[in-house]
Amino acid sequence: QVQLVESGGGLVQAGGSLRLSCVVSGRSFASYSMGWFRQAPGKEREFVAAIRWTGGDTYYADSAKGRFAISRDNAKNTVDLQMNKLKPEDTALYYCARIVNLTTMKGGYWGQGTQVTVSS
């Protein structure tokens, strides 16, 4: 069974940065494509970024392009999301997930989430 634990969320002013991290249990992490999603109050969960299991390909929502960067460390079973130039509209609960379909960006296993709040 895959377990995911996110960390790194917090309160930051607009224009600031945060780095989210997700630790994934399981010996097959290196074969998982991974992603980050977010859900703001009253809104549906949305895709933010993903990284192929090889680490060579990354994918971003338009809202994240140029500001966010996803990376992974297969030796540590971690996937990180560096978020720069944060905006109040980035405020949401951020989830790490194993991506089971890179075409549809369908998430499979999910973490509990880490809260990101950006003040104006």
Side-chain angles (χ1 to χ4, degrees), residues 73-117:
D73 185 335
N74 288 345
K76 297 180 179 179
N77 277 26
T78 58
V79 56
D80 291 352
L81 184 69
Q82 177 67 42
M83 304 187 296
N84 300 322
K85 300 178 182 178
L86 283 162
K87 305 174 182 179
E89 51 264 43
D90 294 318
T91 294
L93 188 60
Y94 283 71
Y95 297 91
C96 171
R98 176 187 171 187
I99 300 292
V100 297
N101 188 316
L102 271 175
T103 300
T104 62
M105 292 303 172
K106 178 179 174 61
Y109 299 93
W110 297 88
Q112 294 299 306
T114 185
Q115 178 67 39
V116 171
T117 302

Side-chain angles (χ1 to χ4, degrees), residues 66-77:
R67 300 188 300 127
F68 295 2
I70 189 170
S71 60
R72 66 188 296 157
D73 185 335
N74 288 345
K76 297 180 179 179
N77 277 26

Side-chain angles (χ1 to χ4, degrees), residues 17-93:
S17 299
L18 281 175
R19 188 176 184 88
L20 307 183
S21 187
C22 175
V23 179
V24 183
S25 66
R27 292 177 292 178
S28 300
F29 174 77
S31 67
Y32 301 158
S33 292
M34 298 295 301
W36 286 91
F37 295 74
R38 68 187 184 186
Q39 187 168 18
K43 295 186 177 181
E44 293 187 352
R45 187 161 52 193
E46 64 177 4
F47 166 76
V48 175
I51 186 166
R52 188 178 290 273
W53 67 274
T54 59
D57 296 314
T58 56
Y59 310 85
Y60 296 95
D62 287 343
S63 59
K65 288 178 181 177
R67 300 188 300 127
F68 295 2
I70 189 170
S71 60
R72 66 188 296 157
D73 185 335
N74 288 345
K76 297 180 179 179
N77 277 26
T78 58
V79 56
D80 291 352
L81 184 69
Q82 177 67 42
M83 304 187 296
N84 300 322
K85 300 178 182 178
L86 283 162
K87 305 174 182 179
E89 51 264 43
D90 294 318
T91 294
L93 188 60

